[in-house]
Amino acid sequence: MTIITFKSLHQRYQVEHLVRHGTRLAERREDSFDLTLYAVAGFYAETWRSRGEADILFIHVFQKPAGLGDYLARVQLPAGL
């Protein structure tokens, strides 16, 4: 799936795609939010949740490596990636 197609999906289907096809890379906290970074076939997706909540507020999608800056110390790539 391309980043454009992913962005056009309803958030519920974006989450399903991340669970099925994304690779969870890292987690971090920013202010009162819990963030999770996923790698997905040519792009990255970052889910934002209020701390301690299950529901995702929004998903930030990007391709440029500059978006990884806050995660670099936390990323653990699985073998084969």
Coordinates of all heavy atoms in Angstrom, one line a residue:
M1 N 0.8 -1.2 0.0 CA 0.0 0.0 0.0 C 0.9 1.2 0.0 O 1.9 1.3 0.7 CB -0.9 0.0 1.2 CG -1.7 1.2 1.4 SD -2.9 1.2 2.8 CE -3.9 -0.2 2.4
T2 N 0.5 2.2 -0.8 CA 1.3 3.5 -0.8 C 0.9 4.4 0.3 O -0.2 4.2 0.9 CB 1.1 4.2 -2.2 OG1 -0.3 4.7 -2.2 CG2 1.4 3.3 -3.4
I3 N 1.7 5.4 0.6 CA 1.4 6.3 1.6 C 0.1 7.1 1.2 O -0.7 7.4 2.1 CB 2.6 7.3 1.9 CG1 2.3 8.1 3.1 CG2 2.9 8.1 0.6 CD1 3.5 8.9 3.6
I4 N -0.1 7.4 0.0 CA -1.3 8.1 -0.5 C -2.5 7.3 -0.2 O -3.5 7.8 0.3 CB -1.2 8.5 -1.9 CG1 0.0 9.6 -2.1 CG2 -2.5 9.1 -2.5 CD1 0.4 9.9 -3.5
T5 N -2.5 6.0 -0.6 CA -3.6 5.1 -0.3 C -3.9 5.0 1.2 O -5.0 5.1 1.6 CB -3.4 3.8 -0.9 OG1 -3.1 3.9 -2.3 CG2 -4.6 2.9 -0.8
F6 N -2.8 4.9 2.0 CA -3.0 4.8 3.4 C -3.7 6.0 4.0 O -4.6 5.9 4.8 CB -1.6 4.5 4.1 CG -1.7 4.3 5.6 CD1 -1.9 3.1 6.1 CD2 -1.5 5.4 6.4 CE1 -2.0 2.9 7.5 CE2 -1.6 5.2 7.8 CZ -1.8 3.9 8.3
K7 N -3.2 7.2 3.6 CA -3.8 8.4 4.1 C -5.3 8.6 3.7 O -6.0 9.2 4.4 CB -3.0 9.6 3.5 CG -1.7 9.8 4.2 CD -1.1 11.1 3.6 CE 0.2 11.5 4.3 NZ 0.8 12.7 3.7
S8 N -5.7 7.9 2.6 CA -7.1 8.1 2.2 C -8.0 7.2 2.9 O -9.2 7.3 2.9 CB -7.2 7.8 0.7 OG -7.0 6.4 0.4
L9 N -7.5 6.2 3.7 CA -8.3 5.3 4.5 C -8.9 6.0 5.7 O -8.2 6.9 6.3 CB -7.5 4.1 4.9 CG -6.9 3.2 3.9 CD1 -6.0 2.1 4.6 CD2 -8.0 2.5 3.1
H10 N -10.0 5.5 6.2 CA -10.6 5.9 7.5 C -9.6 5.5 8.5 O -8.9 4.4 8.4 CB -11.9 5.3 7.7 CG -12.6 5.7 8.9 ND1 -12.3 5.2 10.1 CD2 -13.6 6.6 9.1 CE1 -13.1 5.7 11.0 NE2 -13.9 6.6 10.4
Q11 N -9.5 6.2 9.6 CA -8.5 5.9 10.7 C -8.6 4.4 11.2 O -7.6 3.8 11.4 CB -8.6 6.8 11.8 CG -7.6 6.6 12.9 CD -7.5 7.6 14.0 OE1 -7.4 8.8 13.7 NE2 -7.7 7.2 15.2
R12 N -9.8 3.9 11.3 CA -10.1 2.6 11.7 C -9.3 1.6 10.8 O -8.7 0.6 11.3 CB -11.6 2.3 11.8 CG -11.9 0.8 12.1 CD -13.4 0.6 12.0 NE -14.0 1.6 11.1 CZ -15.3 1.6 10.8 NH1 -16.1 0.7 11.2 NH2 -15.8 2.6 10.0
Y13 N -9.4 1.8 9.5 CA -8.7 0.9 8.6 C -7.2 1.1 8.5 O -6.4 0.2 8.3 CB -9.3 1.0 7.2 CG -10.8 0.7 7.1 CD1 -11.7 1.6 6.9 CD2 -11.2 -0.6 7.5 CE1 -13.1 1.3 6.9 CE2 -12.5 -1.0 7.5 CZ -13.5 0.0 7.2 OH -14.8 -0.4 7.2
Q14 N -6.8 2.3 8.8 CA -5.3 2.6 9.0 C -4.8 1.8 10.1 O -3.7 1.2 10.0 CB -5.1 4.1 9.2 CG -5.3 5.0 8.0 CD -5.1 6.4 8.3 OE1 -5.1 6.9 9.5 NE2 -4.9 7.2 7.3
V15 N -5.5 1.8 11.2 CA -5.1 1.0 12.4 C -5.0 -0.5 12.1 O -4.0 -1.2 12.4 CB -6.0 1.3 13.6 CG1 -5.7 0.3 14.8 CG2 -5.9 2.7 14.1
E16 N -6.0 -1.0 11.4 CA -6.0 -2.4 11.0 C -4.8 -2.7 10.1 O -4.2 -3.8 10.3 CB -7.3 -2.8 10.3 CG -8.5 -2.8 11.2 CD -9.8 -3.1 10.4 OE1 -9.8 -3.5 9.2 OE2 -10.9 -3.0 11.1
H17 N -4.5 -1.8 9.2 CA -3.4 -2.1 8.3 C -2.1 -2.1 9.1 O -1.2 -2.9 8.9 CB -3.3 -1.0 7.2 CG -2.3 -1.3 6.2 ND1 -2.5 -2.2 5.2 CD2 -1.1 -0.8 6.0 CE1 -1.5 -2.3 4.4 NE2 -0.6 -1.4 4.9
L18 N -1.9 -1.1 10.1 CA -0.7 -1.1 10.9 C -0.5 -2.4 11.7 O 0.6 -2.9 11.8 CB -0.8 0.1 11.8 CG -0.6 1.5 11.2 CD1 -0.8 2.5 12.3 CD2 0.7 1.6 10.5
V19 N -1.6 -2.9 12.2 CA -1.6 -4.1 13.0 C -1.2 -5.3 12.2 O -0.4 -6.1 12.6 CB -2.9 -4.4 13.7 CG1 -3.0 -5.8 14.3 CG2 -3.2 -3.3 14.8
R20 N -1.7 -5.4 11.0 CA -1.5 -6.5 10.1 C -0.2 -6.5 9.3 O 0.5 -7.5 9.1 CB -2.6 -6.7 9.1 CG -3.9 -7.2 9.8 CD -5.0 -7.5 8.7 NE -6.2 -7.9 9.4 CZ -7.4 -7.5 9.0 NH1 -7.5 -6.7 8.0 NH2 -8.4 -7.9 9.7
H21 N 0.2 -5.3 8.9 CA 1.3 -5.1 7.9 C 2.5 -4.3 8.4 O 3.5 -4.2 7.8 CB 0.8 -4.6 6.6 CG -0.3 -5.4 6.0 ND1 -0.1 -6.6 5.5 CD2 -1.6 -5.2 5.9 CE1 -1.2 -7.1 5.0 NE2 -2.2 -6.3 5.3
G22 N 2.3 -3.6 9.5 CA 3.3 -2.7 10.0 C 4.2 -3.4 11.0 O 3.9 -4.4 11.6
T23 N 5.4 -2.9 11.1 CA 6.4 -3.4 12.0 C 6.6 -2.3 13.1 O 7.0 -1.2 12.9 CB 7.8 -3.6 11.4 OG1 7.6 -4.6 10.3 CG2 8.8 -4.1 12.4
R24 N 6.2 -2.7 14.3 CA 6.3 -1.8 15.5 C 7.8 -1.6 15.8 O 8.5 -2.5 16.1 CB 5.6 -2.4 16.7 CG 5.4 -1.5 17.8 CD 4.7 -2.2 18.9 NE 4.3 -1.3 19.9 CZ 3.2 -1.5 20.6 NH1 2.4 -2.5 20.4 NH2 2.9 -0.6 21.5
L25 N 8.2 -0.3 15.7 CA 9.7 0.0 15.9 C 10.0 0.6 17.3 O 11.0 0.2 17.8 CB 10.1 1.0 14.9 CG 10.1 0.5 13.4 CD1 10.5 1.7 12.5 CD2 10.9 -0.7 13.2
A26 N 9.2 1.5 17.8 CA 9.5 2.1 19.0 C 8.3 2.8 19.7 O 7.3 3.0 19.0 CB 10.6 3.2 18.8
E27 N 8.5 3.2 20.9 CA 7.5 3.9 21.6 C 8.2 5.1 22.3 O 9.3 5.0 22.7 CB 6.8 3.1 22.7 CG 6.0 1.9 22.0 CD 5.3 1.0 23.1 OE1 5.5 1.3 24.3 OE2 4.6 0.1 22.7
R28 N 7.4 6.2 22.6 CA 7.9 7.3 23.3 C 6.8 8.1 23.9 O 5.6 7.8 23.5 CB 8.8 8.2 22.5 CG 8.1 9.0 21.4 CD 9.2 9.8 20.6 NE 8.5 10.5 19.6 CZ 8.2 11.8 19.7 NH1 8.4 12.5 20.8 NH2 7.6 12.5 18.7
R29 N 7.1 9.0 24.8 CA 6.1 9.9 25.4 C 6.4 11.3 25.1 O 7.6 11.7 25.0 CB 6.1 9.7 26.9 CG 5.5 8.4 27.3 CD 5.4 8.3 28.8 NE 4.7 7.1 29.2 CZ 4.4 6.8 30.4 NH1 4.8 7.5 31.4 NH2 3.7 5.7 30.7
E30 N 5.4 12.0 24.8 CA 5.5 13.5 24.5 C 4.4 14.2 25.2 O 3.2 13.9 24.9 CB 5.5 13.8 23.0 CG 5.8 15.2 22.7 CD 6.0 15.5 21.3 OE1 6.8 14.8 20.7 OE2 5.4 16.4 20.8
D31 N 4.7 15.0 26.2 CA 3.7 15.7 27.0 C 2.8 14.7 27.6 O 3.2 13.8 28.3 CB 3.0 16.8 26.2 CG 3.9 17.9 25.6 OD1 4.8 18.3 26.4 OD2 3.7 18.3 24.5
S32 N 1.5 14.8 27.3 CA 0.5 13.8 27.9 C 0.1 12.8 26.9 O -1.0 12.2 27.0 CB -0.7 14.6 28.4 OG -1.4 15.2 27.3
F33 N 1.0 12.4 25.9 CA 0.7 11.5 24.9 C 1.6 10.3 24.9 O 2.8 10.5 25.2 CB 0.7 12.1 23.5 CG -0.3 13.3 23.4 CD1 0.2 14.6 23.5 CD2 -1.6 13.0 23.1 CE1 -0.7 15.6 23.4 CE2 -2.5 14.1 23.0 CZ -2.1 15.4 23.1
D34 N 1.1 9.1 24.5 CA 1.9 7.9 24.2 C 2.0 7.8 22.7 O 0.9 7.7 22.1 CB 1.3 6.7 24.9 CG 1.4 6.7 26.4 OD1 2.3 7.2 26.9 OD2 0.4 6.2 27.0
L35 N 3.2 7.7 22.2 CA 3.3 7.6 20.7 C 4.0 6.2 20.4 O 4.8 5.8 21.1 CB 4.2 8.7 20.2 CG 3.6 10.1 20.2 CD1 3.5 10.7 21.6 CD2 4.5 11.0 19.3
T36 N 3.6 5.6 19.3 CA 4.1 4.4 18.8 C 4.5 4.5 17.3 O 3.6 5.0 16.6 CB 3.1 3.2 19.0 OG1 2.7 3.1 20.4 CG2 3.8 1.9 18.6
L37 N 5.7 4.2 17.0 CA 6.2 4.3 15.6 C 6.1 2.9 14.9 O 6.6 1.9 15.5 CB 7.6 4.8 15.6 CG 8.3 4.9 14.3 CD1 7.7 6.0 13.5 CD2 9.8 5.2 14.5
Y38 N 5.6 2.9 13.7 CA 5.5 1.7 12.9 C 6.2 2.0 11.5 O 6.1 3.1 11.0 CB 4.1 1.4 12.5 CG 3.3 0.9 13.7 CD1 2.6 1.9 14.5 CD2 3.1 -0.4 14.0 CE1 1.9 1.5 15.6 CE2 2.4 -0.8 15.1 CZ 1.7 0.1 15.9 OH 1.0 -0.3 17.0
A39 N 6.9 1.0 11.0 CA 7.4 1.0 9.6 C 6.4 0.3 8.7 O 6.0 -0.8 9.1 CB 8.7 0.4 9.5
V40 N 6.0 0.9 7.6 CA 5.0 0.2 6.7 C 5.5 0.4 5.3 O 5.4 1.6 4.8 CB 3.6 0.8 6.9 CG1 2.6 0.0 6.1 CG2 3.2 0.9 8.3
A41 N 5.9 -0.6 4.6 CA 6.2 -0.6 3.2 C 6.5 0.8 2.6 O 5.7 1.3 1.8 CB 5.1 -1.3 2.4
G42 N 7.6 1.4 2.9 CA 8.0 2.7 2.3 C 7.6 3.9 3.0 O 7.9 5.0 2.6
F43 N 7.0 3.8 4.2 CA 6.7 5.0 5.0 C 6.6 4.6 6.4 O 6.7 3.5 6.8 CB 5.4 5.7 4.5 CG 4.1 4.9 4.6 CD1 3.3 4.9 5.8 CD2 3.7 4.1 3.6 CE1 2.2 4.2 5.9 CE2 2.6 3.3 3.7 CZ 1.8 3.4 4.8
Y44 N 6.5 5.6 7.3 CA 6.4 5.5 8.7 C 5.0 6.0 9.2 O 4.5 7.0 8.6 CB 7.5 6.2 9.5 CG 8.8 5.7 9.1 CD1 9.6 6.4 8.1 CD2 9.4 4.6 9.7 CE1 10.8 5.9 7.7 CE2 10.6 4.1 9.3 CZ 11.4 4.8 8.3 OH 12.6 4.3 8.0
A45 N 4.5 5.4 10.2 CA 3.2 5.9 10.8 C 3.4 6.0 12.3 O 4.0 5.1 13.0 CB 2.1 5.0 10.5
E46 N 3.0 7.1 12.9 CA 3.1 7.3 14.3 C 1.7 7.5 14.9 O 1.0 8.4 14.5 CB 3.9 8.6 14.5 CG 4.2 9.0 15.9 CD 5.0 10.3 15.9 OE1 4.6 11.3 15.4 OE2 6.2 10.2 16.4
T47 N 1.3 6.6 15.8 CA 0.0 6.7 16.5 C 0.2 7.5 17.7 O 1.1 7.4 18.5 CB -0.5 5.3 16.8 OG1 0.3 4.6 17.7 CG2 -0.8 4.5 15.6
W48 N -0.8 8.4 18.0 CA -0.9 9.2 19.1 C -2.1 8.8 20.0 O -3.2 8.8 19.5 CB -1.0 10.7 18.7 CG 0.2 11.3 18.1 CD1 0.8 11.0 17.0 CD2 0.9 12.4 18.7 NE1 1.9 11.7 16.8 CE2 2.0 12.6 17.8 CE3 0.8 13.1 19.8 CZ2 3.0 13.6 18.1 CZ3 1.7 14.1 20.1 CH2 2.8 14.4 19.2
R49 N -1.9 8.6 21.3 CA -2.9 8.3 22.2 C -2.7 9.2 23.5 O -1.6 9.5 23.8 CB -2.8 6.9 22.7 CG -2.9 5.8 21.7 CD -2.6 4.4 22.3 NE -2.3 3.5 21.3 CZ -3.2 2.5 20.9 NH1 -4.3 2.4 21.4 NH2 -2.8 1.7 19.9
S50 N -3.8 9.6 24.1 CA -3.7 10.2 25.4 C -3.1 9.2 26.4 O -3.5 8.0 26.3 CB -5.1 10.7 25.9 OG -5.5 11.8 25.1
R51 N -2.2 9.6 27.2 CA -1.6 8.7 28.1 C -2.6 7.9 28.9 O -3.5 8.4 29.5 CB -0.7 9.5 29.1 CG 0.1 8.6 30.0 CD 1.5 9.0 30.4 NE 2.2 9.6 29.3 CZ 2.9 10.7 29.4 NH1 2.9 11.4 30.5 NH2 3.7 11.1 28.4
G52 N -2.4 6.6 28.9 CA -3.2 5.6 29.6 C -4.5 5.3 28.9 O -5.3 4.5 29.4
E53 N -4.8 5.9 27.7 CA -6.0 5.6 27.0 C -5.8 4.6 25.9 O -4.7 4.5 25.3 CB -6.6 6.9 26.4 CG -7.0 7.9 27.4 CD -8.2 7.5 28.3 OE1 -9.1 6.8 27.7 OE2 -8.2 7.8 29.5
A54 N -6.8 3.8 25.5 CA -6.6 2.8 24.4 C -6.9 3.4 23.0 O -6.3 2.9 22.1 CB -7.6 1.6 24.7
D55 N -7.8 4.4 23.0 CA -8.2 4.9 21.7 C -7.1 5.8 21.1 O -6.5 6.6 21.7 CB -9.5 5.7 21.8 CG -10.7 4.9 22.1 OD1 -10.7 3.7 21.8 OD2 -11.6 5.4 22.7
I56 N -6.9 5.6 19.8 CA -5.9 6.4 19.0 C -6.6 7.7 18.6 O -7.7 7.7 18.1 CB -5.4 5.7 17.8 CG1 -4.6 4.4 18.2 CG2 -4.6 6.6 16.9 CD1 -4.2 3.5 17.1
L57 N -5.9 8.8 19.0 CA -6.4 10.1 18.6 C -6.2 10.5 17.1 O -7.1 11.0 16.5 CB -5.8 11.2 19.5 CG -6.1 11.1 21.0 CD1 -5.2 12.1 21.8 CD2 -7.5 11.3 21.2
F58 N -5.0 10.2 16.7 CA -4.7 10.4 15.3 C -3.4 9.7 14.9 O -2.7 9.2 15.8 CB -4.6 11.9 14.9 CG -3.4 12.7 15.5 CD1 -2.2 12.8 14.9 CD2 -3.6 13.3 16.8 CE1 -1.2 13.5 15.5 CE2 -2.5 14.0 17.4 CZ -1.3 14.1 16.7
I59 N -3.2 9.6 13.6 CA -2.0 8.9 13.1 C -1.2 9.9 12.2 O -1.8 10.4 11.2 CB -2.4 7.6 12.3 CG1 -3.1 6.7 13.2 CG2 -1.2 7.0 11.7 CD1 -3.8 5.5 12.4
H60 N 0.0 10.1 12.5 CA 0.9 11.0 11.7 C 1.7 10.1 10.8 O 2.3 9.1 11.2 CB 1.8 11.7 12.7 CG 2.9 12.5 12.0 ND1 4.2 12.5 12.3 CD2 2.8 13.4 10.9 CE1 4.9 13.3 11.5 NE2 4.1 13.8 10.7
V61 N 1.6 10.4 9.5 CA 2.3 9.5 8.5 C 3.4 10.4 7.8 O 3.2 11.5 7.4 CB 1.3 9.0 7.4 CG1 1.9 8.1 6.4 CG2 0.1 8.3 8.1
F62 N 4.6 9.8 7.6 CA 5.7 10.5 7.0 C 6.6 9.5 6.3 O 6.6 8.3 6.6 CB 6.4 11.4 8.0 CG 7.0 10.6 9.1 CD1 8.3 10.3 9.1 CD2 6.3 10.3 10.2 CE1 8.9 9.6 10.1 CE2 6.8 9.6 11.3 CZ 8.2 9.2 11.2
Q63 N 7.5 10.1 5.4 CA 8.5 9.3 4.7 C 9.9 9.8 5.0 O 10.8 9.0 4.9 CB 8.2 9.3 3.2 CG 7.0 8.6 2.7 CD 6.8 8.6 1.2 OE1 6.6 9.7 0.7 NE2 6.8 7.5 0.6
K64 N 10.0 11.0 5.3 CA 11.4 11.6 5.4 C 12.0 11.1 6.7 O 11.4 11.2 7.8 CB 11.3 13.1 5.3 CG 10.9 13.6 4.0 CD 10.9 15.1 3.9 CE 10.5 15.5 2.5 NZ 10.6 16.9 2.3
P65 N 13.3 10.7 6.6 CA 14.0 10.3 7.8 C 14.1 11.3 8.9 O 14.2 10.9 10.1 CB 15.4 9.9 7.3 CG 15.2 9.7 5.9 CD 14.1 10.6 5.4
A66 N 13.9 12.6 8.6 CA 14.0 13.6 9.6 C 12.9 13.4 10.7 O 13.1 13.8 11.9 CB 13.8 15.0 9.0
G67 N 11.8 12.8 10.3 CA 10.7 12.5 11.3 C 11.1 11.4 12.3 O 10.4 11.2 13.3
L68 N 12.2 10.7 12.1 CA 12.6 9.7 13.0 C 13.5 10.2 14.2 O 13.8 9.5 15.1 CB 13.4 8.6 12.3 CG 12.7 7.9 11.2 CD1 13.6 7.0 10.4 CD2 11.5 7.1 11.8
G69 N 13.9 11.5 14.1 CA 14.8 12.0 15.1 C 14.6 11.7 16.5 O 15.5 11.4 17.3
D70 N 13.3 11.8 17.0 CA 13.0 11.6 18.4 C 13.0 10.1 18.7 O 12.9 9.8 19.9 CB 11.6 12.2 18.7 CG 11.6 13.7 18.7 OD1 12.6 14.3 19.0 OD2 10.6 14.3 18.3
Y71 N 13.1 9.2 17.8 CA 13.1 7.8 18.0 C 14.4 7.1 17.9 O 14.6 6.0 18.3 CB 12.1 7.1 17.0 CG 10.7 7.4 17.2 CD1 10.0 8.4 16.5 CD2 10.0 6.7 18.2 CE1 8.7 8.6 16.7 CE2 8.6 6.9 18.4 CZ 8.0 7.9 17.7 OH 6.7 8.1 17.9
L72 N 15.4 7.7 17.3 CA 16.6 7.1 16.9 C 17.3 6.3 18.1 O 17.8 5.2 17.8 CB 17.6 8.0 16.3 CG 17.2 8.6 14.9 CD1 18.3 9.6 14.4 CD2 17.0 7.4 13.9
A73 N 17.2 6.8 19.2 CA 17.8 6.1 20.4 C 17.0 4.9 20.8 O 17.4 4.0 21.5 CB 18.0 7.0 21.6
R74 N 15.7 4.8 20.4 CA 14.8 3.8 20.8 C 14.5 2.7 19.8 O 14.0 1.6 20.1 CB 13.4 4.4 21.2 CG 13.5 5.3 22.3 CD 12.2 6.1 22.5 NE 12.2 6.9 23.7 CZ 12.5 8.2 23.7 NH1 12.9 8.8 22.5 NH2 12.5 8.9 24.8
V75 N 14.9 2.9 18.5 CA 14.5 2.0 17.4 C 15.3 0.7 17.5 O 16.5 0.7 17.7 CB 14.7 2.6 16.1 CG1 14.5 1.6 14.9 CG2 13.8 3.8 15.9
Q76 N 14.6 -0.4 17.5 CA 15.2 -1.7 17.4 C 14.7 -2.4 16.2 O 13.5 -2.9 16.2 CB 14.9 -2.5 18.7 CG 15.5 -1.9 19.9 CD 15.1 -2.7 21.1 OE1 14.2 -3.6 21.1 NE2 15.8 -2.5 22.2
L77 N 15.5 -2.5 15.1 CA 15.0 -3.1 13.9 C 15.0 -4.6 14.0 O 16.0 -5.2 14.5 CB 15.9 -2.7 12.7 CG 15.8 -1.2 12.4 CD1 16.8 -0.9 11.3 CD2 14.4 -0.8 11.9
P78 N 14.0 -5.3 13.6 CA 14.0 -6.8 13.7 C 14.9 -7.3 12.6 O 15.2 -6.6 11.6 CB 12.5 -7.1 13.3 CG 11.9 -5.9 12.9 CD 12.7 -4.7 13.2
A79 N 15.4 -8.5 12.8 CA 16.3 -9.2 11.8 C 15.6 -9.2 10.5 O 14.4 -9.5 10.4 CB 16.6 -10.6 12.3
G80 N 16.3 -9.0 9.4 CA 15.7 -9.0 8.1 C 15.2 -7.8 7.5 O 14.8 -7.7 6.4
L81 N 15.2 -6.7 8.3 CA 14.7 -5.4 7.8 C 15.8 -4.6 7.3 O 16.8 -4.5 7.8 CB 13.9 -4.6 8.8 CG 12.4 -4.8 8.9 CD1 11.8 -3.8 9.9 CD2 11.7 -4.6 7.6

